[in-house]
Amino acid sequence: MKKILPLILIIASAILIISNFIVSEKYDPGFWVSNFSSLLVIIAMVLTIRAHKKQDRI
C-alpha cells in the first residue's frame, strides 16, 4: 500500500489539473493557486517514491 498510494495521488492530482483547465472559464488567482497546489502534491509524491526506492536498495 505504501507504494501504491503515492501513484494514486499523482494520478488524482493530474486529473484535477486537467479538469481545472477544461472546466474553468476564467483564470483568476484561485485557479492558479489550485493548479500550483496540485503540482506541489505531484512533486512531493515523486520525491516520496524516490526516497522509498533508495531505502529499499540499502
Side-chain angles (χ1 to χ4, degrees), residues 9-57:
L9 286 174
I10 288 172
I11 293 168
S13 293
I15 291 171
L16 283 174
I17 290 173
I18 292 168
S19 66
N20 230 358
F21 274 105
I22 293 172
V23 174
S24 186
E25 293 179 6
K26 56 182 178 177
Y27 303 117
D28 57 351
F31 167 82
W32 294 110
V33 169
S34 172
N35 284 337
F36 185 67
S37 65
S38 293
L39 185 64
L40 288 177
V41 168
I42 290 173
I43 292 170
M45 291 302 107
V46 168
L47 293 175
T48 301
I49 291 171
R50 281 187 176 178
H52 282 298
K53 283 184 181 180
K54 283 184 181 178
Q55 264 185 347
D56 289 341
R57 279 191 232 160

